[in-house]
Amino acid sequence: MRICQFLTSRSTLSSIRQLSTGNAKGSDVVIVSALRTPIGSFRGSLSQLSAAQMATQVIKALISQSKIKPDQIDEIIMGHILTHGGGQHPTRQAVINSGLPSSTVTSTVNKLCASGMKSIMLASGLLSLKQANIMIAGGMESMSNVPFILKRGDANYGHTQLYDALLSDGLIDAFHQIHMGNCGENTAKKYGITREDQDKFAIGSYEKSAAAAKAGLFDKEKISVTVPDKKAGTKTVSEDEEYLKVDFSKISSLRSVFQKDGTITAANASKLNDGAAACILMRAETAQEHGLNPLVKVVDYADNELDPIDFPEAPVGAIKKLLARNGINKDDVKMWEINEAFSVVPLVHVKLLDLDPSKVNIHGGAVALGHPVAASGTRIVAHLAHTLKSGEYGIAAICNGGGGSSAMLVQAL
């Protein structure tokens, strides 16, 4: 028994040492490039573009930056939730319009807010199985262009009703028929997270995002986007739009949005936004063959599900799986990117996992930058990829409606 314990211990230590070297082995899946559009406000700077059109520009930039030839990309997986009115198979649109050959395999994933991260997870699995050599994975969302819908059969004699697909298919819990914000309120009450706690966190998110933007810390991950313009024909959008719109003097006086005497407001919650993000993945040996320097290796990933109303805390379980499976202590993680669907989400993770707040969303998050829902999971992975230093671990985690979540552990190379 002691010999078995000793061997197991040595095996575990060996695995940890291999992970801590910062060197990728041939079979490791690595991210060699990760880019995103600027994030536009609702009906703002990017609203003239569909989700597929934003993704097209990101895919083109990825190919140009990496110098990978279009016909070398085997498959592209993109997360996209609110596809209404965007035309058939938006990922296929983005792929063909990017100049990739028609033989490129394409898939669109809907795991609500975790869609962009799930696409990276699926790509990583296919690469590990050697079913592909080079893949692009990401997420895209144009919340500005989600239509109102008329249910078939409702258009009878007299008046009828339009439904906002943005709400019905994106922001309303299908089981309790309540807004995601009401689930957030439930979590805040459950764990004693106050309005003041959330407002303070939101102010910090805005301040950190502004400081990071000023310091150019988003420049490596962000591309400029060409947008139709009535006067000039086209215009270029290069900057994130949302974080510039805050009025700090009004935050404490805003009314709660979802419940009377609630804690969640327009300021301490994420916004409705437009954007796309994607990354190129391959095995380390493929990167070496192409002379590419990987940003990070994908160490592990996990999902977790809870009761739908508890979705804001669902990433806690996914994170615990990652730490346990890889023999890593939470203090070994240099950066945490926990998506700010609401301020209460990262706050409850700090509380339940006893995280160092100074390591959580160090450059702000969705409260300030915005939350183009299917793109956000990719954005937070991309930010880790460009920010971590060699050998450092980072964990990105995101909750999704219905009680789900996804999390990913990466290590910088």
Side-chain angles (χ1 to χ4, degrees):
M1 180 68 176
R2 290 179 181 175
I3 292 174
C4 290
Q5 289 176 338
F6 174 71
L7 290 174
T8 302
S9 177
R10 288 192 63 180
S11 175
T12 302
L13 288 172
S14 175
S15 298
I16 293 171
R17 289 192 191 101
Q18 287 176 9
L19 286 171
S20 65
T21 61
N23 298 317
K25 303 185 292 296
S27 59
D28 287 333
V29 174
V30 296
I31 295 174
V32 300
S33 184
L35 297 172
R36 67 173 177 89
T37 66
I39 299 173
S41 297
F42 187 66
R43 304 302 300 159
S45 62
L46 299 183
S47 61
Q48 296 302 307
L49 297 175
S50 69
Q53 288 170 330
M54 289 186 285
T56 296
Q57 298 196 42
V58 173
I59 291 169
K60 285 182 175 180
L62 284 170
I63 294 170
S64 175
Q65 184 185 84
S66 67
K67 303 196 184 319
I68 292 289
K69 295 178 181 178
D71 61 4
Q72 292 175 317
I73 297 167
D74 299 304
E75 185 169 351
I76 295 185
I77 304 175
M78 295 292 289
H80 189 16
I81 304 168
L82 303 162
T83 60
H84 312 76
Q88 188 184 59
H89 202 343
T91 302
R92 188 67 172 167
Q93 294 178 47
V95 167
I96 297 299
N97 292 332
S98 298
L100 275 73
S102 58
S103 58
T104 309
V105 178
T106 54
S107 298
T108 302
V109 174
N110 183 349
K111 193 178 186 289
L112 294 177
C113 295
S115 299
M117 187 178 293
K118 189 66 177 181
S119 70
I120 301 176
M121 295 161 67
L122 292 170
S124 298
L126 290 169
L127 289 164
S128 295
L129 290 171
K130 299 188 177 180
Q131 294 189 8
N133 290 317
I134 301 175
M135 296 187 65
I136 290 177
M140 53 185 172
E141 209 73 70
S142 176
M143 300 179 82
S144 292
N145 285 306
V146 181
F148 290 86
I149 57 177
L150 175 65
K151 292 185 178 181
R152 190 176 298 277
D154 278 4
N156 297 316
Y157 181 78
H159 299 292
T160 189
Q161 182 176 357
L162 288 176
Y163 295 85
D164 188 348
L166 180 56
L167 284 171
S168 64
D169 288 19
L171 303 177
I172 296 294
D173 177 72
F175 301 93
H176 301 90
Q177 290 301 309
I178 56 175
H179 194 285
M180 297 285 93
N182 286 298
C183 301
E185 289 283 13
N186 180 72
T187 299
K189 291 175 182 176
K190 184 177 178 181
Y191 294 103
I193 296 173
T194 67
R195 161 75 182 267
E196 290 72 23
D197 294 333
Q198 294 173 65
D199 282 354
K200 182 180 178 180
F201 183 91
I203 291 168
S205 184
Y206 277 103
E207 291 175 341
K208 288 184 285 188
S209 293
K214 185 177 181 180
L217 299 182
F218 299 134
D219 291 351
K220 288 184 178 180
E221 68 191 54
K222 183 159 54 68
I223 67 170
S224 295
V225 173
T226 302
V227 179
D229 182 74
K230 291 181 179 179
K231 294 181 179 180
T234 61
K235 64 179 179 180
T236 300
V237 177
S238 301
E239 301 303 324
D240 296 319
E241 186 175 13
E242 195 67 57
Y243 77 94
L244 298 170
K245 299 169 72 173
V246 66
D247 184 345
F248 290 112
S249 67
K250 294 182 178 180
I251 288 179
S252 63
S253 61
L254 290 175
R255 292 184 178 181
S256 56
V257 177
F258 303 106
Q259 294 180 7
K260 184 179 179 181
D261 300 323
T263 62
I264 297 177
T265 70
N268 64 34
S270 64
K271 315 305 183 283
L272 306 178
N273 299 96
D274 306 326
C279 54
I280 297 180
L281 299 98
M282 60 189 70
R283 291 181 298 279
E285 59 199 12
T286 308
Q288 187 175 14
E289 290 169 5
H290 288 274
L292 298 172
N293 294 318
L295 299 172
V296 293
K297 65 179 175 182
V298 178
V299 179
D300 198 2
Y301 41 85
D303 294 312
N304 189 55
E305 303 278 344
L306 299 173
D307 187 284
I309 201 168
D310 292 324
F311 87 92
E313 63 184 277
V316 170
I319 290 168
K320 287 181 177 179
K321 291 176 185 178
L322 292 180
L323 296 176
R325 282 204 300 243
N326 295 280
I328 296 173
N329 187 282
K330 62 182 175 60
D331 297 323
D332 296 327
V333 178
K334 184 68 175 180
M335 282 181 63
W336 299 86
E337 283 289 319
I338 300 174
N339 190 57
E340 297 172 6
F342 307 98
S343 292
V344 70
V345 176
L347 285 171
V348 79
H349 283 71
V350 168
K351 186 167 190 173
L352 296 180
L353 293 168
D354 190 27
L355 302 180
D356 179 351
S358 69
K359 293 182 178 181
V360 177
N361 300 359
I362 64 174
H363 299 135
V367 164
L369 291 171
H371 183 18
V373 281
S376 291
T378 307
R379 182 193 72 79
I380 58 179
V381 172
H383 189 59
L384 288 178
H386 286 288
T387 309
L388 291 168
K389 296 178 181 178
S390 181
E392 292 180 342
Y393 291 113
I395 287 182
I398 186 166
C399 55
N400 64 261
S405 65
S406 296
M408 180 168 286
L409 171 64
V410 299
Q411 186 180 26
L413 297 169

